[in-house]
Amino acid sequence: MTLLGLVGLYDPPRSEVAEAVRRCHEAGIRVHVVTGDNGATAEAVAREVGIGVPRLHVVAASEVLGDDELDRLLVEGDDEIVFARSSPETKLKVADTLRAHGRIVAMTGDGVNDAPALHRAHIGVAMGRSGTDVAREAAAMVLTDDDFATIVTAVEAGRRVYDNVRKFIVYIFAHATPEIVPFLVFALSAGTVPLPLTVLQILAIDLGTETLPALALGRERSEPGIMQRPPRPRHQGVISRDMLVRSWGYLGLTSAVLVMAGYFYVLWRAGWQPGDPTGTGSPLHHAYVTATTATFAGIVTCQIGTAFAARTDHAALRDIGVFSNPLLLAGIAFELVFTAALVYAPPLQHLFGTAALPLDVVLLVATFPVLVWGTDELRRARRRRQRTSPVPGS
C-alpha cells in the first residue's frame, strides 16, 4: 500500500462551446443540463462554458419532488438548471414540463434511453457520430459533427430563412397596390380617366419582371443583430399586421402615388382633360399608349426600390451593403433589360400595347426607386430611434 502517484483525467469542453452558449443567451435561449454525472462535476463544466450566468441552480434528480417542483424550477424562475444524477425519465419530465407551459423545447441526446425525450421535444437533436441508431431515428435533427455550436448555427440559419420568407412576401405584396389602384381610378371615375394599365402589362410584371428579384431575396444574408433578438412568439404567423401595413401602406401606397403621377404627367402634357377620348384613331391615342407605358415602367422601377427596401426589416441598407446580394443585382438587371425590350422593341410594342418613352419620362420614372426605398428607409430609421430612446421616468 505504498502511494506511487496520482493520475488525473480531464475531458475539457470544446473551445467553441462557451461562445455558442453566449450566443444562446443573447438570442433569448435558456440552456439546461440534464446529466447522469455527479452534481459537482456537472456544475463545474456548466460554469466553465458559461451556463447559469449570472446564477446556476444545481439539483440532484432525487431532490425533484414532482410536477410542482419542476414548475417552480423551470417556469417560474429564469435560472438555468443542472439536473445531476438524472435518469432518462428526468429528461422526459423536463421536456414535458416545458412543453406544457408553452415553451419551445430542443433536446440533445445520443443514447437509446434518450430516444423518448428526443421524440417528445419539439426539436430532438441527436449526435451523428457517437449517437445510437435509435437516437438518430427519434430525433428531428442529427449533428454530423457532434458539436453543440452547430445547433446555434442552425438557429441563426432558421431565423435567416424565416426573415427571408417575410422579405419575399413584403416584396410581392407591395406590388398589389400600384397594380390595383389604376383599375380603381378607372372604375371610380366611370371611365372619365382611361385605364392606366393593361392586363398584358400586369402579366408582364407578375410573370416577368418581379420573379427573379423575388427569388434573390430568399438568398439574403442575415441582418446584423439577428441573434440578439428574443425568440418570436410561438403562435406568430409568417404574415403579420406590421408586414401588411408596410407592404400596402408604405411601399405600395408610395409606389401607387408615383405611378399615377407619371401616368397623368404624360396625359396632361399632351393636353388631355378628363373625359377626352383616347381610343384608336383619336388625337390623344398615342399619348394614352405612352401614358400606360409610363405606368408599366413606373411599377417596374418601383419594384427596384421595393426590392432594396425589403432586404432589411430592421437595419439600414448600408449595414448589409448595397452590393452584397449579387443575385438580386442580376435579377434587377434582367428586369430592366426585359422592360426596355417591351418598351422599345417594335414587335413587343404591338403585342403589349406599349410605346417608346420620351427622355423626360424616363428621367421621371428613374427617380421612383430612390423615392420608394427612401420612404421605407426613413420609416425604419424612425422605428430604430423609438426602440433605443429611453422611456420617460425610467
Side-chain angles (χ1 to χ4, degrees):
M1 302 296 293
T2 302
L3 178 64
L4 299 179
L6 297 174
V7 176
L9 298 178
Y10 176 55
D11 184 15
R14 296 189 181 190
S15 58
E16 64 270 15
V17 173
E19 174 64 18
V21 171
R22 185 189 64 80
R23 296 183 67 197
C24 282
H25 292 161
E26 289 181 348
I29 302 172
R30 295 168 66 193
V31 183
H32 301 299
V33 179
V34 185
T35 178
D37 290 338
N38 178 272
T41 303
E43 179 182 5
V45 174
R47 292 190 184 281
E48 186 172 354
V49 297
I51 296 175
V53 176
R55 188 169 60 176
L56 181 67
H57 196 148
V58 182
V59 178
S62 58
E63 297 177 11
V64 179
L65 302 178
D67 294 340
D68 292 340
E69 182 69 10
L70 278 176
D71 289 346
R72 185 186 65 80
L73 291 172
L74 294 171
V75 181
E76 295 178 7
D78 293 328
D79 296 348
E80 291 179 324
I81 315 297
V82 171
F83 294 92
R85 294 301 186 190
S86 300
S87 64
E89 289 76 13
T90 304
K91 217 170 192 180
L92 187 60
K93 290 180 68 175
V94 168
D96 285 340
T97 300
L98 291 171
R99 284 190 61 127
H101 289 83
R103 307 296 174 86
I104 302 299
V105 183
M107 184 72 72
T108 65
D110 57 4
V112 174
N113 293 335
D114 294 326
L118 293 175
H119 181 72
R120 191 69 59 86
H122 292 98
I123 305 170
V125 183
M127 303 298 110
R129 290 181 178 178
S130 61
T132 61
D133 292 339
V134 175
R136 288 196 291 266
E137 289 294 330
M141 183 170 71
V142 178
L143 298 182
T144 58
D145 56 2
D146 289 8
D147 191 348
F148 178 81
T150 305
I151 301 176
V152 184
T153 303
V155 171
E156 181 177 3
R159 291 189 175 190
R160 180 178 64 84
V161 170
Y162 181 81
D163 282 356
N164 287 351
V165 170
R166 292 165 65 93
K167 293 171 186 178
F168 176 94
I169 294 174
V170 167
Y171 176 78
I172 295 297
F173 278 19
H175 304 147
T177 305
E179 290 178 358
I180 292 174
V181 165
F183 288 90
L184 290 177
V185 171
F186 170 73
L188 295 176
S189 67
T192 303
V193 176
L195 188 63
L197 193 65
T198 67
V199 174
L200 281 178
Q201 289 169 355
I202 288 182
L203 290 176
I205 293 169
D206 292 342
L207 302 180
T209 61
E210 77 175 9
T211 304
L212 291 182
L215 294 175
L217 286 173
R219 299 296 299 274
E220 276 292 333
R221 63 176 61 182
S222 300
E223 286 190 46
I226 191 172
M227 290 298 285
Q228 279 75 50
R229 304 179 203 163
R232 63 182 175 88
R234 179 181 179 184
H235 300 292
Q236 176 181 313
V238 176
I239 300 176
S240 64
R241 184 181 65 178
D242 184 68
M243 284 178 58
L244 297 180
V245 171
R246 183 188 182 193
S247 298
W248 295 336
Y250 284 89
L251 296 169
L253 187 59
T254 302
S255 299
V257 170
L258 294 174
V259 165
M260 294 307 300
Y263 174 73
F264 285 118
Y265 168 76
V266 175
L267 286 180
W268 285 332
R269 188 186 60 172
W272 171 85
Q273 296 295 326
D276 289 349
T278 56
T280 304
S282 64
L284 292 173
H285 179 66
H286 180 72
Y288 167 68
V289 174
T290 304
T292 60
T293 306
T295 303
F296 167 71
I299 292 178
V300 172
T301 54
C302 286
Q303 283 180 329
I304 298 174
T306 300
F308 279 106
R311 292 186 62 194
T312 62
D313 187 33
H314 305 278
L317 181 60
R318 66 176 180 273
D319 293 335
I320 63 171
V322 178
F323 306 105
S324 59
N325 189 342
L327 291 177
L328 179 63
L329 300 178
I332 291 174
F334 168 81
E335 165 174 54
L336 293 175
V337 171
F338 182 79
T339 301
L342 265 62
V343 171
Y344 294 103
L348 296 177
Q349 286 178 342
H350 178 74
L351 178 62
F352 288 92
T354 58
L357 294 177
L359 179 60
D360 60 331
V361 179
V362 172
L363 295 176
L364 175 64
V365 298
T367 64
F368 290 178
V370 177
L371 295 174
V372 172
W373 164 79
T375 299
D376 191 71
E377 188 76 9
L378 292 175
R379 182 192 70 89
R380 281 180 279 120
R382 183 176 68 252
R383 294 186 63 177
R384 289 195 299 272
R385 287 195 299 269
Q386 290 174 350
R387 290 176 180 176
T388 56
S389 59
V391 178
S394 61

